[in-house]
Amino acid sequence: MQTVDSINFKNKRALIRVDFNVPFDKNFNITDDTRIKAALPTINKVLNDGGSVVLMSHLGRPLKKLKEDGTIDKEKFSLKHVVGHLSDLLNRKIQFVNDCINEESHAISNVLKPGEILLLENTRFYKEEEKGDEVFAAKLAHHGDVFVNDAFGSAHRAHASTTIVAKHFSKENKAAGYLMAAEVENATKILNSSEKPFTAILGGAKVSDKILIIENLLNIADNIIIGGGMAYTFVKALGCEVGKSLVEEDMQELALHILQKAEAKGVKIYLPEDSVIADKFDNDANIRVADNTDIPFAWMALDIGHASIIAFQEVIKNSKTILWNGPMGVFEMEKFQNGTKSIAVAVAHATQKNGAFSLVGGGDSVAAVNKFGLADKVSFVSTGGGALLEFFEGKTLPGVAALM
Ligand code: AMP
Protein backbone atom coordinates (compact mmCIF):
# COMPACT_ATOMS: atom_id res chain seq x y z
CA MET A 1 0.00 0.00 0.00
CA GLN A 2 1.57 3.28 -1.04
CA THR A 3 1.07 6.45 0.96
CA VAL A 4 0.55 10.01 -0.25
CA ASP A 5 4.30 10.56 0.19
CA SER A 6 4.87 8.53 -2.99
CA ILE A 7 2.75 10.86 -5.11
CA ASN A 8 3.42 14.35 -6.41
CA PHE A 9 -0.01 15.98 -6.60
CA LYS A 10 1.04 18.96 -8.74
CA ASN A 11 -1.86 19.89 -11.03
CA LYS A 12 -3.77 16.79 -9.90
CA ARG A 13 -7.20 16.59 -8.28
CA ALA A 14 -7.06 14.38 -5.20
CA LEU A 15 -10.36 12.78 -4.25
CA ILE A 16 -9.87 12.23 -0.52
CA ARG A 17 -12.19 10.04 1.60
CA VAL A 18 -12.04 11.63 5.02
CA ASP A 19 -13.96 10.88 8.20
CA PHE A 20 -15.80 14.10 9.03
CA ASN A 21 -18.42 12.22 11.04
CA VAL A 22 -18.15 14.69 13.92
CA PRO A 23 -20.55 15.40 16.80
CA PHE A 24 -22.52 18.68 16.92
CA ASP A 25 -24.48 20.53 19.59
CA LYS A 26 -28.05 21.60 18.80
CA ASN A 27 -26.81 24.78 17.11
CA PHE A 28 -24.51 22.79 14.81
CA ASN A 29 -21.33 23.80 16.59
CA ILE A 30 -18.78 21.00 16.38
CA THR A 31 -18.21 19.62 19.89
CA ASP A 32 -15.15 17.49 19.05
CA ASP A 33 -13.08 18.25 15.95
CA THR A 34 -10.47 15.50 16.43
CA ARG A 35 -11.45 13.76 13.20
CA ILE A 36 -11.24 16.94 11.13
CA LYS A 37 -7.85 17.85 12.56
CA ALA A 38 -6.61 14.33 11.90
CA ALA A 39 -7.22 14.79 8.16
CA LEU A 40 -5.38 18.12 7.83
CA PRO A 41 -1.84 16.79 7.21
CA THR A 42 -3.04 14.81 4.18
CA ILE A 43 -5.05 17.73 2.78
CA ASN A 44 -2.07 20.06 3.27
CA LYS A 45 0.29 17.62 1.55
CA VAL A 46 -1.84 17.76 -1.62
CA LEU A 47 -2.21 21.54 -1.48
CA ASN A 48 1.51 22.08 -0.83
CA ASP A 49 2.37 19.90 -3.83
CA GLY A 50 0.22 22.21 -5.99
CA GLY A 51 -2.82 19.99 -6.29
CA SER A 52 -6.52 20.51 -5.64
CA VAL A 53 -8.71 18.61 -3.19
CA VAL A 54 -12.18 17.06 -3.38
CA LEU A 55 -13.30 15.85 0.04
CA MET A 56 -15.98 13.21 0.61
CA SER A 57 -17.31 11.78 3.86
CA HIS A 58 -20.33 10.34 5.55
CA LEU A 59 -22.03 12.02 8.50
CA GLY A 60 -24.26 10.01 10.83
CA ARG A 61 -26.89 7.58 9.59
CA PRO A 62 -29.37 9.75 7.65
CA LEU A 63 -31.20 6.82 6.08
CA LYS A 64 -31.73 5.13 9.45
CA LYS A 65 -32.97 8.34 11.08
CA LEU A 66 -35.52 9.67 8.61
CA LYS A 67 -37.84 12.58 9.40
CA GLU A 68 -41.43 11.86 10.46
CA ASP A 69 -42.59 12.34 6.86
CA GLY A 70 -40.16 9.61 5.75
CA THR A 71 -37.69 11.93 4.00
CA ILE A 72 -33.99 12.45 4.73
CA ASP A 73 -33.17 15.15 7.27
CA LYS A 74 -30.85 17.05 4.93
CA GLU A 75 -30.34 19.85 7.43
CA LYS A 76 -29.34 17.71 10.39
CA PHE A 77 -27.01 15.44 8.44
CA SER A 78 -25.47 18.03 6.12
CA LEU A 79 -21.71 18.39 5.88
CA LYS A 80 -22.25 22.10 5.20
CA HIS A 81 -21.99 22.52 8.99
CA VAL A 82 -18.32 21.54 8.75
CA VAL A 83 -17.37 24.15 6.13
CA GLY A 84 -16.75 27.13 8.44
CA HIS A 85 -14.53 25.28 10.89
CA LEU A 86 -12.58 23.48 8.17
CA SER A 87 -12.01 26.80 6.43
CA ASP A 88 -10.67 28.29 9.69
CA LEU A 89 -8.36 25.33 10.30
CA LEU A 90 -6.92 25.40 6.76
CA ASN A 91 -7.09 29.16 6.43
CA ARG A 92 -8.59 28.72 2.97
CA LYS A 93 -11.92 29.09 1.26
CA ILE A 94 -13.88 25.83 1.00
CA GLN A 95 -16.38 25.31 -1.80
CA PHE A 96 -19.38 23.14 -0.91
CA VAL A 97 -21.84 21.34 -3.15
CA ASN A 98 -25.11 19.97 -1.79
CA ASP A 99 -24.96 16.67 -3.66
CA CYS A 100 -22.02 14.32 -4.04
CA ILE A 101 -22.63 13.00 -7.58
CA ASN A 102 -24.88 15.43 -9.48
CA GLU A 103 -23.89 17.35 -12.62
CA GLU A 104 -23.20 20.52 -10.69
CA SER A 105 -20.72 18.72 -8.42
CA HIS A 106 -18.84 17.33 -11.44
CA ALA A 107 -18.89 20.72 -13.17
CA ILE A 108 -17.15 22.23 -10.14
CA SER A 109 -14.64 19.43 -9.48
CA ASN A 110 -13.71 19.34 -13.19
CA VAL A 111 -12.38 22.89 -13.15
CA LEU A 112 -10.78 22.99 -9.69
CA LYS A 113 -7.52 24.91 -9.76
CA PRO A 114 -4.41 24.08 -7.69
CA GLY A 115 -4.96 25.13 -4.10
CA GLU A 116 -8.77 24.89 -4.31
CA ILE A 117 -10.90 22.66 -2.09
CA LEU A 118 -14.36 21.26 -2.71
CA LEU A 119 -16.36 19.46 -0.01
CA LEU A 120 -19.09 17.11 -1.28
CA GLU A 121 -22.36 16.59 0.58
CA ASN A 122 -22.83 13.51 2.81
CA THR A 123 -22.32 10.34 0.75
CA ARG A 124 -24.91 8.55 2.89
CA PHE A 125 -27.75 10.64 1.44
CA TYR A 126 -27.66 7.88 -1.20
CA LYS A 127 -28.60 4.30 -0.28
CA GLU A 128 -26.07 3.27 -2.92
CA GLU A 129 -23.23 4.33 -0.61
CA GLU A 130 -23.70 1.61 2.01
CA LYS A 131 -24.64 -0.93 -0.67
CA GLY A 132 -21.27 -0.38 -2.33
CA ASP A 133 -23.06 0.37 -5.61
CA GLU A 134 -20.76 0.26 -8.64
CA VAL A 135 -22.48 3.00 -10.68
CA PHE A 136 -22.57 5.38 -7.71
CA ALA A 137 -18.88 4.65 -6.98
CA ALA A 138 -17.98 5.37 -10.61
CA LYS A 139 -19.66 8.78 -10.32
CA LEU A 140 -17.70 9.53 -7.16
CA ALA A 141 -14.47 8.44 -8.86
CA HIS A 142 -15.14 11.02 -11.58
CA HIS A 143 -14.21 13.77 -9.09
CA GLY A 144 -10.50 12.95 -8.91
CA ASP A 145 -7.35 11.99 -10.79
CA VAL A 146 -5.98 10.31 -7.68
CA PHE A 147 -7.89 8.57 -4.87
CA VAL A 148 -6.69 8.96 -1.30
CA ASN A 149 -8.28 7.16 1.63
CA ASP A 150 -7.67 8.75 5.02
CA ALA A 151 -10.79 7.38 6.76
CA PHE A 152 -9.42 4.46 8.78
CA GLY A 153 -12.53 4.53 10.99
CA SER A 154 -14.62 3.45 7.97
CA ALA A 155 -12.09 1.04 6.45
CA HIS A 156 -13.99 -2.04 7.70
CA ARG A 157 -16.90 -1.18 5.44
CA ALA A 158 -17.07 -2.09 1.77
CA HIS A 159 -19.03 1.05 0.99
CA ALA A 160 -18.89 2.91 -2.31
CA SER A 161 -16.78 5.84 -1.06
CA THR A 162 -14.46 3.78 1.14
CA THR A 163 -13.76 0.76 -1.03
CA ILE A 164 -15.55 0.36 -4.38
CA VAL A 165 -14.46 3.79 -5.66
CA ALA A 166 -10.82 2.64 -5.51
CA LYS A 167 -11.42 0.21 -8.40
CA HIS A 168 -11.48 3.19 -10.75
CA PHE A 169 -7.89 4.18 -10.02
CA SER A 170 -4.70 2.40 -11.04
CA LYS A 171 -2.31 1.24 -8.34
CA GLU A 172 -0.11 4.28 -8.95
CA ASN A 173 -3.06 6.62 -8.54
CA LYS A 174 -4.37 5.54 -5.16
CA ALA A 175 -2.82 5.88 -1.74
CA ALA A 176 -3.34 5.91 1.99
CA GLY A 177 -3.41 9.31 3.65
CA TYR A 178 -1.17 9.97 6.64
CA LEU A 179 -3.81 9.05 9.23
CA MET A 180 -4.70 5.79 7.48
CA ALA A 181 -1.03 4.92 7.06
CA ALA A 182 -0.23 5.60 10.73
CA GLU A 183 -3.23 3.57 11.91
CA VAL A 184 -2.33 0.56 9.78
CA GLU A 185 1.36 0.78 10.68
CA ASN A 186 0.76 0.97 14.44
CA ALA A 187 -1.93 -1.70 14.51
CA THR A 188 0.32 -3.99 12.46
CA LYS A 189 3.13 -3.42 14.94
CA ILE A 190 0.84 -4.68 17.71
CA LEU A 191 -0.39 -7.63 15.67
CA ASN A 192 3.19 -8.69 14.92
CA SER A 193 4.05 -7.99 18.59
CA SER A 194 7.74 -8.28 17.93
CA GLU A 195 8.57 -7.27 21.49
CA LYS A 196 7.36 -9.66 24.17
CA PRO A 197 5.64 -9.98 26.57
CA PHE A 198 2.53 -8.78 24.74
CA THR A 199 -0.38 -7.91 27.00
CA ALA A 200 -3.87 -7.18 25.74
CA ILE A 201 -6.19 -5.37 28.14
CA LEU A 202 -9.85 -5.79 27.31
CA GLY A 203 -12.77 -4.17 29.06
CA GLY A 204 -16.13 -2.61 28.32
CA ALA A 205 -19.61 -3.88 28.60
CA LYS A 206 -20.10 -7.07 26.65
CA VAL A 207 -18.22 -10.30 26.07
CA SER A 208 -20.26 -10.91 22.92
CA ASP A 209 -18.73 -7.81 21.26
CA LYS A 210 -15.22 -9.00 22.01
CA ILE A 211 -15.34 -12.76 21.38
CA LEU A 212 -13.69 -12.65 17.97
CA ILE A 213 -10.91 -10.37 19.14
CA ILE A 214 -10.21 -12.58 22.19
CA GLU A 215 -10.09 -15.68 19.98
CA ASN A 216 -7.54 -14.02 17.71
CA LEU A 217 -5.50 -12.60 20.58
CA LEU A 218 -5.14 -16.12 22.00
CA ASN A 219 -2.83 -16.75 19.03
CA ILE A 220 -0.54 -13.77 19.64
CA ALA A 221 -0.75 -12.46 23.21
CA ASP A 222 1.18 -13.65 26.25
CA ASN A 223 -1.28 -12.12 28.72
CA ILE A 224 -4.92 -11.06 28.41
CA ILE A 225 -6.32 -8.87 31.18
CA ILE A 226 -10.11 -8.85 31.26
CA GLY A 227 -11.92 -6.13 33.21
CA GLY A 228 -15.07 -4.05 32.92
CA GLY A 229 -18.58 -5.45 32.73
CA MET A 230 -17.48 -8.30 30.47
CA ALA A 231 -15.34 -9.80 33.26
CA TYR A 232 -18.39 -10.84 35.30
CA THR A 233 -19.59 -13.31 32.68
CA PHE A 234 -16.25 -15.09 33.17
CA VAL A 235 -16.39 -14.72 36.97
CA LYS A 236 -19.89 -16.21 37.07
CA ALA A 237 -18.96 -18.99 34.66
CA LEU A 238 -16.23 -19.93 37.15
CA GLY A 239 -18.85 -20.40 39.83
CA CYS A 240 -19.14 -17.06 41.68
CA GLU A 241 -22.52 -15.48 42.26
CA VAL A 242 -22.09 -11.89 41.06
CA GLY A 243 -25.42 -10.38 42.17
CA LYS A 244 -26.81 -7.86 39.70
CA SER A 245 -23.50 -7.38 37.86
CA LEU A 246 -23.59 -7.39 34.08
CA VAL A 247 -23.68 -11.03 32.92
CA GLU A 248 -24.42 -12.48 29.50
CA GLU A 249 -25.88 -15.80 30.58
CA ASP A 250 -25.64 -17.36 27.12
CA MET A 251 -21.93 -16.51 26.90
CA GLN A 252 -20.83 -18.42 29.99
CA GLU A 253 -20.03 -21.63 28.19
CA LEU A 254 -17.98 -19.74 25.62
CA ALA A 255 -16.18 -17.91 28.43
CA LEU A 256 -15.12 -21.26 29.94
CA HIS A 257 -14.08 -22.50 26.52
CA ILE A 258 -11.86 -19.40 26.11
CA LEU A 259 -10.24 -20.01 29.49
CA GLN A 260 -9.51 -23.63 28.55
CA LYS A 261 -8.14 -22.66 25.17
CA ALA A 262 -5.90 -20.03 26.76
CA GLU A 263 -4.49 -22.60 29.16
CA ALA A 264 -3.78 -25.01 26.34
CA LYS A 265 -1.97 -22.27 24.41
CA GLY A 266 -0.02 -21.00 27.42
CA VAL A 267 -1.73 -17.60 27.36
CA LYS A 268 -2.34 -16.19 30.83
CA ILE A 269 -5.78 -14.71 31.41
CA TYR A 270 -6.15 -12.30 34.33
CA LEU A 271 -9.62 -11.67 35.75
CA PRO A 272 -10.43 -9.26 38.60
CA GLU A 273 -10.32 -10.82 42.08
CA ASP A 274 -12.24 -8.02 43.73
CA SER A 275 -14.60 -5.23 42.69
CA VAL A 276 -16.10 -1.93 43.72
CA ILE A 277 -19.71 -2.95 44.24
CA ALA A 278 -22.74 -0.67 44.41
CA ASP A 279 -26.37 -0.99 45.51
CA LYS A 280 -27.55 0.82 42.37
CA PHE A 281 -26.26 1.97 38.98
CA ASP A 282 -25.69 5.53 40.09
CA ASN A 283 -22.92 7.83 41.22
CA ASP A 284 -24.90 8.32 44.45
CA ALA A 285 -24.96 4.60 45.19
CA ASN A 286 -23.61 3.12 48.42
CA ILE A 287 -20.37 1.41 47.54
CA ARG A 288 -17.79 -0.92 49.03
CA VAL A 289 -15.04 -3.21 47.88
CA ALA A 290 -15.74 -6.94 47.88
CA ASP A 291 -14.05 -10.10 46.72
CA ASN A 292 -15.82 -11.48 43.68
CA THR A 293 -16.76 -14.53 45.76
CA ASP A 294 -18.64 -12.22 48.08
CA ILE A 295 -20.94 -9.99 46.00
CA PRO A 296 -24.39 -9.73 47.69
CA PHE A 297 -27.45 -10.68 45.65
CA ALA A 298 -28.79 -7.12 45.26
CA TRP A 299 -25.45 -5.44 44.51
CA MET A 300 -23.51 -5.00 41.29
CA ALA A 301 -19.81 -4.73 40.43
CA LEU A 302 -19.11 -1.45 38.66
CA ASP A 303 -15.33 -1.22 38.84
CA ILE A 304 -12.34 -3.43 39.57
CA GLY A 305 -11.11 -3.41 43.17
CA HIS A 306 -7.76 -2.54 44.70
CA ALA A 307 -6.27 -6.05 44.68
CA SER A 308 -7.18 -6.40 40.98
CA ILE A 309 -5.57 -3.05 40.20
CA ILE A 310 -2.31 -4.12 41.86
CA ALA A 311 -2.29 -7.46 40.05
CA PHE A 312 -3.08 -5.90 36.65
CA GLN A 313 -0.49 -3.13 37.14
CA GLU A 314 2.18 -5.73 37.80
CA VAL A 315 1.46 -7.48 34.49
CA ILE A 316 1.38 -4.18 32.59
CA LYS A 317 4.66 -3.02 34.14
CA ASN A 318 6.44 -6.09 32.79
CA SER A 319 5.01 -5.84 29.26
CA LYS A 320 6.80 -4.59 26.14
CA THR A 321 3.78 -4.47 23.84
CA ILE A 322 0.37 -3.35 25.12
CA LEU A 323 -3.02 -3.17 23.46
CA TRP A 324 -5.86 -1.59 25.44
CA ASN A 325 -9.49 -1.70 24.41
CA GLY A 326 -12.36 -0.96 26.77
CA PRO A 327 -12.65 0.56 30.27
CA MET A 328 -12.26 -1.41 33.53
CA GLY A 329 -15.45 -0.02 35.02
CA VAL A 330 -18.18 2.58 34.61
CA PHE A 331 -15.52 5.30 34.38
CA GLU A 332 -18.09 7.91 33.30
CA MET A 333 -19.15 8.04 36.99
CA GLU A 334 -16.57 9.35 39.42
CA LYS A 335 -17.13 6.64 41.99
CA PHE A 336 -16.26 3.95 39.47
CA GLN A 337 -13.40 5.54 37.55
CA ASN A 338 -10.48 4.50 39.70
CA GLY A 339 -9.83 1.13 38.02
CA THR A 340 -9.76 2.60 34.53
CA LYS A 341 -7.66 5.55 35.66
CA SER A 342 -5.13 3.28 37.41
CA ILE A 343 -4.80 1.11 34.32
CA ALA A 344 -4.37 4.20 32.13
CA VAL A 345 -1.59 5.39 34.45
CA ALA A 346 0.06 1.95 34.36
CA VAL A 347 -0.01 1.84 30.55
CA ALA A 348 1.42 5.38 30.35
CA HIS A 349 4.10 4.46 32.87
CA ALA A 350 5.12 1.28 31.02
CA THR A 351 5.39 3.36 27.84
CA GLN A 352 7.32 6.29 29.27
CA LYS A 353 9.54 4.53 31.79
CA ASN A 354 10.00 1.02 30.39
CA GLY A 355 9.89 1.75 26.66
CA ALA A 356 6.82 -0.40 26.00
CA PHE A 357 4.89 0.15 22.77
CA SER A 358 1.26 0.85 23.66
CA LEU A 359 -1.81 1.29 21.49
CA VAL A 360 -5.13 2.44 22.92
CA GLY A 361 -8.13 2.13 20.66
CA GLY A 362 -11.72 1.24 20.07
CA GLY A 363 -14.05 3.75 21.60
CA ASP A 364 -14.35 4.19 25.35
CA SER A 365 -10.75 3.51 26.34
CA VAL A 366 -9.80 6.44 24.07
CA ALA A 367 -12.36 8.61 25.89
CA ALA A 368 -10.76 7.40 29.15
CA VAL A 369 -7.14 8.30 28.28
CA ASN A 370 -8.39 11.70 27.09
CA LYS A 371 -10.39 12.20 30.29
CA PHE A 372 -7.35 11.43 32.44
CA GLY A 373 -5.02 13.58 30.31
CA LEU A 374 -2.81 10.64 29.33
CA ALA A 375 -3.34 10.48 25.55
CA ASP A 376 0.13 11.85 24.82
CA LYS A 377 1.77 9.42 27.26
CA VAL A 378 0.91 6.28 25.30
CA SER A 379 2.51 5.35 21.97
CA PHE A 380 -0.57 5.62 19.77
CA VAL A 381 -4.23 6.47 20.23
CA SER A 382 -6.30 5.00 17.42
CA THR A 383 -9.22 6.86 15.84
CA GLY A 384 -10.74 3.65 14.57
CA GLY A 385 -13.51 1.99 16.61
CA GLY A 386 -15.07 -0.89 14.70
CA ALA A 387 -12.28 -0.83 12.11
CA LEU A 388 -9.62 -1.32 14.74
CA LEU A 389 -11.53 -4.17 16.40
CA GLU A 390 -11.95 -5.95 13.07
CA PHE A 391 -8.26 -5.49 12.37
CA PHE A 392 -7.41 -7.23 15.65
CA GLU A 393 -9.98 -9.92 14.92
CA GLY A 394 -7.60 -10.78 12.10
CA LYS A 395 -9.93 -9.64 9.31
CA THR A 396 -8.77 -7.91 6.15
CA LEU A 397 -10.24 -4.41 6.06
CA PRO A 398 -11.83 -3.85 2.63
CA GLY A 399 -10.89 -0.16 2.61
CA VAL A 400 -7.24 -1.04 3.14
CA ALA A 401 -7.25 -3.97 0.69
CA ALA A 402 -8.73 -1.70 -2.00
CA LEU A 403 -5.61 0.49 -1.91
CA MET A 404 -3.24 -2.39 -2.71
P1 AMP B 1 -17.72 -1.00 25.24
O1 AMP B 1 -18.39 -0.03 24.32
O2 AMP B 1 -18.14 -2.40 25.08
O3 AMP B 1 -16.22 -0.81 25.28
O4 AMP B 1 -18.26 -0.63 26.70
C1 AMP B 1 -18.01 0.58 27.32
C2 AMP B 1 -19.00 0.78 28.41
O5 AMP B 1 -18.92 -0.28 29.33
C3 AMP B 1 -18.79 2.05 29.19
O6 AMP B 1 -19.88 2.90 28.96
C4 AMP B 1 -18.75 1.59 30.63
O7 AMP B 1 -19.49 2.42 31.50
C5 AMP B 1 -19.35 0.22 30.59
N1 AMP B 1 -18.87 -0.62 31.68
C6 AMP B 1 -17.61 -0.84 32.04
N2 AMP B 1 -17.55 -1.63 33.14
C7 AMP B 1 -18.82 -1.89 33.49
C8 AMP B 1 -19.43 -2.65 34.55
N3 AMP B 1 -18.68 -3.27 35.47
N4 AMP B 1 -20.76 -2.72 34.59
C9 AMP B 1 -21.51 -2.09 33.66
N5 AMP B 1 -21.01 -1.36 32.64
C10 AMP B 1 -19.68 -1.27 32.55
Side-chain angles (χ1 to χ4, degrees):
M1 179 176 76
Q2 71 171 349
T3 74
V4 280
D5 274 336
S6 312
I7 300 178
N8 185 340
F9 288 89
K10 192 170 171 53
N11 293 324
K12 288 185 176 152
R13 291 174 307 155
L15 173 63
I16 310 180
R17 177 50 159 99
V18 287
D19 180 0
F20 284 175
N21 183 28
V22 289
F24 296 97
D25 65 17
K26 60 180 187 319
N27 297 318
F28 293 111
N29 297 306
I30 298 165
T31 52
D32 179 356
D33 68 352
T34 310
R35 288 177 176 157
I36 299 180
K37 283 190 173 146
L40 298 181
T42 298
I43 297 171
N44 279 323
K45 150 72 179 162
V46 175
L47 297 174
N48 292 339
D49 273 2
S52 56
V53 169
V54 180
L55 297 168
M56 61 178 171
S57 176
H58 76 282
L59 175 64
R61 317 201 86 185
L63 294 174
K64 300 248 154 53
K65 295 184 176 165
L66 296 172
K67 291 200 287 189
E68 267 176 19
D69 65 3
T71 60
I72 296 175
D73 193 338
K74 292 207 168 175
E75 179 65 20
K76 183 172 175 196
F77 293 104
S78 176
L79 278 166
K80 72 181 177 190
H81 303 300
V82 167
V83 171
H85 191 58
L86 180 63
S87 174
D88 289 346
L89 289 171
L90 287 167
N91 205 11
R92 288 187 192 242
K93 185 170 171 277
I94 310 289
Q95 298 183 62
F96 176 76
V97 61
N98 65 1
D99 189 291
C100 60
I101 52 159
N102 69 0
E103 272 184 31
E104 187 195 353
S105 68
H106 287 123
I108 301 171
S109 66
N110 257 326
V111 297
L112 274 189
K113 294 192 203 56
E116 290 186 339
I117 304 167
L118 171 66
L119 173 63
L120 304 174
E121 182 56 287
N122 193 347
T123 51
R124 285 202 191 155
F125 282 179
Y126 284 88
K127 65 177 183 321
E128 288 84 351
E129 160 71 333
E130 294 191 54
K131 291 200 168 129
D133 184 82
E134 299 276 349
V135 177
F136 177 71
K139 288 182 184 167
L140 290 173
H142 204 58
H143 286 296
D145 306 313
V146 178
F147 172 62
V148 176
N149 193 344
D150 215 14
F152 178 74
S154 303
H156 56 315
R157 304 202 159 110
H159 292 175
S161 72
T162 61
T163 302
I164 314 302
V165 66
K167 288 186 189 173
H168 296 273
F169 298 85
S170 67
K171 212 172 166 181
E172 298 72 42
N173 285 322
K174 53 189 170 188
Y178 291 123
L179 174 67
M180 172 74 100
E183 292 275 4
V184 172
E185 189 188 323
N186 284 295
T188 304
K189 203 165 158 182
I190 291 277
L191 215 48
N192 294 340
S193 69
S194 45
E195 285 232 59
K196 300 254 172 197
F198 169 30
T199 298
I201 309 162
L202 299 175
K206 289 185 172 172
V207 184
S208 47
D209 288 347
K210 309 278 162 87
I211 285 296
L212 295 174
I213 191 168
I214 299 176
E215 295 264 9
N216 197 38
L217 287 171
L218 287 176
N219 299 318
I220 46 178
D222 300 296
N223 308 304
I224 302 179
I225 292 173
I226 298 179
M230 65 185 278
Y232 300 96
T233 298
F234 286 86
V235 173
K236 183 159 186 194
L238 287 170
C240 294
E241 286 306 324
V242 293
K244 291 206 158 47
S245 307
L246 206 59
V247 168
E248 285 172 276
E249 300 290 348
D250 55 343
M251 285 285 142
Q252 289 186 57
E253 214 174 287
L254 200 54
L256 287 179
H257 171 72
I258 284 171
L259 295 176
Q260 283 157 7
K261 211 162 154 185
E263 197 173 344
K265 283 178 179 276
V267 179
K268 288 210 176 91
I269 296 211
Y270 294 84
L271 291 165
E273 300 159 34
D274 62 348
S275 302
V276 177
I277 59 170
D279 60 356
K280 57 181 172 177
F281 191 83
D282 196 303
N283 203 35
D284 290 333
N286 293 307
I287 62 167
R288 61 184 165 91
V289 177
D291 281 353
N292 288 339
T293 47
D294 207 13
I295 302 176
F297 172 73
W299 289 54
M300 62 190 85
L302 296 183
D303 195 7
I304 54 174
H306 192 63
S308 310
I309 290 174
I310 304 265
F312 290 179
Q313 279 177 333
E314 188 61 23
V315 179
I316 294 166
K317 193 172 86 186
N318 294 316
S319 302
K320 284 287 174 208
T321 303
I322 303 167
L323 167 68
W324 182 19
N325 168 266
M328 297 289 103
V330 185
F331 75 105
E332 299 93 331
M333 296 185 207
E334 213 186 319
K335 273 189 176 159
F336 313 109
Q337 68 172 17
N338 190 43
T340 304
K341 189 174 181 178
S342 304
I343 295 311
V345 169
V347 173
H349 198 275
T351 312
Q352 299 295 320
K353 297 275 174 357
N354 306 346
F357 177 74
S358 56
L359 186 149
V360 180
D364 274 327
S365 34
V366 174
V369 288
N370 285 330
K371 178 172 175 171
F372 304 128
L374 292 166
D376 61 351
K377 300 275 189 295
V378 298
S379 308
F380 190 72
V381 178
S382 173
T383 59
L388 188 81
L389 290 184
E390 289 200 15
F391 191 91
F392 287 122
E393 285 167 8
K395 292 183 184 150
T396 302
L397 304 183
V400 174
L403 295 174
M404 308 280 188

